[in-house]
Amino acid sequence: MSYGPVPWQQTQWDWRAAGNFVCGGAGGGLIVFAALSGAQGLALAALLLGGLALVGTGLVCVWLEIGRPLRALHVFFNPQTSWMTREAFVATLLMPAALAAAAGLPGFEWLAAVLALTFVYCQSRMLQAAKGIPAWREPLLVPLVVLSGLAEGGGLWLLVQPAHAAGESLLLALVGALVLARVLVWLAYRHRLALRAAPRALAALDAAGRWLQLAGSLLPLALLALVAGGLIGSALAAPLLVIAGLLAAAAGAWLKFTLITRAGFNQGFALVHLPVRGVRR
């Protein structure tokens, strides 16, 4: 069924659109953590370029998803109404700012971090603007997508610098706080969605949500607590942080992929007042 009172799944956005949210969110989060980490030189350049590569991969996915790729520049035509246009403008500014920071120009890493956070926010608003899809139009989706992007970026930071991260107690606490905030917002989001979304959408979200709660939140938080509390030896700290980062990033990516490709059910036709013969309007 493509139209009617029964909810049907949207088909305009597929894995390519999901790739933008998955890669762009994680890349933006990694750029934010690159600035917060205080890394310098080659370490900072590697983090920034890795984040840019993810953002660029996400944008390429969107370009592949466009029906007429040669008209991709048309995305810049509606900044007053389109969050996709705003995302494109922010990405255009983010690329040179992050490259300048990677080249060692002082202060540009913070500009890149602000632009990366703005980029992730534009992504969240782009989803939430789809008012015909209950799972997307829920206002709590905005903080959920932003927090997930930051948590995924923190997880990737743990992946690429586990030995250095073991001594960064404040950043470890920040990653833990983001993972915890993400799962709390997820629980509130899922509760508000219970009576609004299609059963098949809820089933898909619940499957991804179980991974988010257990593998993407509970286990990473436990591992971070062990490392930050000094309850294990230094030899085990690095591999445990790699596992925690991988779980936090992968669970968030799977949740966003599911949200786009499996939970995007329209609400169907909603007729508030049905016409009845012989009854005045």
Side-chain angles (χ1 to χ4, degrees):
M1 178 180 295
S2 58
Y3 295 101
V6 179
W8 67 94
Q9 188 164 12
Q10 63 84 29
T11 57
Q12 283 73 33
W13 284 7
D14 55 15
W15 66 267
R16 294 165 294 185
N20 181 39
F21 293 95
V22 171
C23 296
L30 182 57
I31 291 173
V32 171
F33 268 87
L36 293 176
S37 68
Q40 300 292 329
L42 291 177
L44 176 62
L47 290 171
L48 291 170
L49 293 177
L52 273 185
L54 285 171
V55 172
T57 300
L59 294 175
V60 169
C61 288
V62 172
W63 181 74
L64 292 175
E65 196 244 352
I66 296 175
R68 296 181 177 180
L70 296 181
R71 295 188 178 184
L73 291 179
H74 289 193
V75 74
F76 291 98
F77 289 173
N78 298 293
Q80 67 277 14
T81 58
S82 172
W83 282 102
M84 185 177 292
T85 299
R86 295 163 189 167
E87 178 201 41
F89 274 112
V90 173
T92 302
L93 297 174
L94 173 61
M95 296 291 181
L99 289 174
L105 296 180
F108 273 88
E109 67 272 20
W110 295 109
L111 175 60
V114 172
L115 290 171
L117 184 59
T118 306
F119 179 83
V120 178
Y121 176 75
C122 288
Q123 287 194 327
S124 69
R125 292 300 302 272
M126 188 164 57
L127 263 182
Q128 203 265 331
K131 300 304 182 183
I133 299 178
W136 297 0
R137 71 185 180 209
E138 166 58 44
L140 283 178
L141 185 65
V142 173
L144 179 61
V145 172
V146 172
L147 288 170
S148 186
L150 293 175
E152 292 159 34
L156 294 178
W157 175 73
L158 293 177
L159 281 178
V160 298
Q161 289 195 350
H164 177 70
E168 297 283 353
S169 57
L170 288 179
L171 281 182
L172 289 182
L174 177 59
V175 174
L178 289 169
V179 169
L180 179 60
R182 179 179 66 178
V183 74
L184 292 177
V185 173
W186 155 256
L187 292 173
Y189 164 84
R190 177 60 182 84
H191 176 74
R192 288 173 57 90
L193 208 63
L195 300 177
R196 304 177 186 178
R200 290 174 61 189
L202 295 177
L205 288 173
D206 286 342
R210 284 190 290 271
W211 281 100
L212 182 73
Q213 294 174 65
L214 298 177
S217 300
L218 183 60
L219 286 177
L221 287 173
L223 295 176
L224 289 172
L226 287 174
V227 174
L231 301 178
I232 58 171
S234 57
L236 289 176
L240 289 184
L241 287 178
V242 168
I243 295 173
L246 179 62
L247 291 174
W254 180 244
L255 177 65
K256 288 190 288 189
F257 182 85
T258 300
L259 186 69
I260 302 299
T261 62
R262 301 185 180 183
F265 281 81
N266 290 282
Q267 69 176 24
F269 294 163
L271 302 178
V272 179
H273 299 289
L274 296 177
V276 178
R277 180 176 295 178
V279 178
R280 292 186 177 181
R281 296 178 58 185

